[in-house]
């Protein structure tokens, strides 16, 4: 039989939906709930799923083999999470067959909704400048915060391509932000270095990760909540260490 003509299984559809959501930054309890709802829609009401930030364990019932999927790359893509949730609702309402749901999930997995790096840098620059003003900085700090924030975000993305350890990339990006902020103050292009730094590091702060950690803890997913919280803490430490090293040259 041709492999391409083989109909998808309930397990493969559920695992694909969970993989997309987890890689896109969804909370673990949302991933488990979506997988179980899809399985229940196809008549498998005794399915079991266990999700951590780095893996998915899923079984249709206690007698079937348990399936495991390793998740190594995670990002933030709320568009994909919303699309998978939409497919889950359509499946639950009986509007999509298993094959149709599988094809749509495959398309979502292949699509990329991310903006280009140029637009991401522009957004990071605007966010940095606005945060500098919001944290009681002066308008003299707006442009330096924009430039430092844009340079830091670009550095983080480039360093992450070269080094897979994201905390190292965030450390180096923060170091660049600290050095640039110090340079702007010495050249008298800014008024307050702390306001420039605070605004510039905001695009690096793991806000979604912290939010998901709290939501998972409140939902009773202690392992996922603590691991995400630890990851957010390490990221914050990397940012703080980079800034500390950068401004130590004062």
């Amino acid at each position: 039989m041709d492999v391409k003509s083989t109909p998808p299984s309930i397990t493969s559809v559920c695992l694909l939906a969970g993989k997309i959501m987890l890689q896109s930054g969804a909370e673990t309890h949302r991933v488990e709930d979506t997988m179980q709802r899809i399985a229940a829609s196809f008549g498998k009401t005794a399915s079991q799923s266990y999700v951590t930030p780095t893996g998915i364990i899923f079984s249709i019932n206690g007698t079937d083999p348990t399936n495991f999927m390793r998740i190594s790359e995670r990002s933030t893509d709320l568009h994909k999470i919303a699309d998978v949730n939409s497919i889950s609702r359509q499946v639950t309402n009986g509007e999509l067959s298993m094959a149709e749901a599988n094809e749509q999930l495959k398309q979502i997995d292949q699509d990329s909704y991310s903006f280009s790096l140029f637009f991401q840098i522009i957004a990071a620059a605007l966010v940095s400048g606005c945060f500098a003003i919001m944290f009681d900085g002066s308008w003299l700090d707006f442009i330096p915060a924009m430039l430092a924030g844009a340079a830091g975000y670009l550095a983080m993305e480039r360093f992450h391509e070269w080094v897979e350890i994201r905390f190292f990339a965030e450390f180096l990006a923060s170091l660049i932000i600290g050095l640039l902020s110090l340079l702007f103050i010495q050249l008298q292009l800014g008024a307050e270095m702390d306001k420039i730094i605070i605004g510039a590091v905001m695009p690096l702060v793991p806000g979604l990760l912290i939010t998901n950690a709290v939501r998972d803890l409140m939902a009773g997913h202690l392992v996922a909540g603590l691991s995400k919280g630890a990851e957010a803490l390490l990221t914050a430490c990397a940012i703080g260490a980079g800034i500390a090293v950068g401004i130590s040259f004062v």
Side-chain angles (χ1 to χ4, degrees):
M1 179 183 295
D2 187 0
V3 175
K4 294 183 179 180
S5 64
T6 304
S9 64
I10 298 176
T11 299
S12 63
V13 173
C14 292
L15 284 174
L16 180 56
K19 169 197 168 188
I20 296 171
M21 295 186 71
L22 196 57
Q23 286 182 334
S24 301
E27 312 96 303
T28 55
H29 70 87
R30 183 191 295 269
V31 177
E32 291 182 359
D33 181 68
T34 300
M35 295 172 66
Q36 290 173 353
R37 286 179 182 272
I38 292 176
S41 300
F42 294 124
K44 302 298 182 179
T45 58
S47 65
Q48 296 290 328
S49 62
Y50 179 73
V51 178
T52 70
T54 57
I56 299 174
I57 300 174
F58 181 75
S59 177
I60 291 296
N61 55 54
T63 59
D64 286 344
T66 299
N67 297 269
F68 174 77
M69 178 176 289
R70 181 78 165 84
I71 304 297
S72 56
E73 290 291 333
R74 299 186 305 278
S75 61
T76 301
D77 196 331
L78 301 182
H79 196 299
K80 286 189 175 184
I81 296 175
D83 284 348
V84 175
N85 282 334
S86 177
I87 291 176
S88 174
R89 286 191 292 269
Q90 293 180 62
V91 169
T92 303
N93 295 331
E95 300 172 4
L96 288 178
S97 66
M98 190 187 306
E100 292 171 336
N102 186 62
E103 288 302 317
Q104 291 191 24
L105 288 171
K106 285 183 177 180
Q107 186 62 43
I108 293 173
D109 191 27
Q110 295 174 359
D111 290 340
S112 176
Y113 302 108
S114 299
F115 290 99
S116 65
L117 181 59
F118 174 77
F119 283 105
Q120 293 181 45
I121 294 173
I122 295 298
L126 292 175
V127 166
S128 300
C130 292
F131 268 112
I133 299 300
M134 191 181 75
F135 285 110
D136 204 24
S138 67
W139 286 102
L140 290 175
D141 300 323
F142 184 78
I143 298 299
M146 287 183 59
L147 296 176
Y153 188 85
L154 174 61
M156 183 185 70
E157 292 295 326
R158 292 308 185 195
F159 286 138
H160 185 54
E161 293 177 1
W162 301 333
V163 182
E164 293 187 0
I165 303 176
R166 190 168 185 86
F167 307 115
F168 185 68
E170 290 160 346
F171 169 80
L172 293 177
S174 300
L175 174 62
I176 290 175
I177 290 175
L179 293 174
L180 286 177
S181 301
L182 177 61
L183 177 63
F184 289 140
I185 293 298
Q186 290 180 344
L187 296 177
Q188 297 183 349
L189 298 177
E192 299 178 82
M193 185 169 65
D194 58 334
K195 301 299 189 297
I196 297 174
I197 291 175
I198 290 173
V201 301
M202 290 308 293
L204 310 183
V205 174
L208 181 63
L209 192 62
I210 296 173
T211 302
N212 285 348
V214 174
R215 295 187 66 176
D216 280 332
L217 286 172
M218 293 178 65
H221 291 241
L222 302 181
V223 174
L226 290 175
S227 62
K228 289 181 180 180
E231 184 178 354
L233 179 61
L234 288 174
T235 300
C237 290
I239 294 173
I243 294 298
V245 173
I247 65 177
S248 65
F249 294 98
V250 176

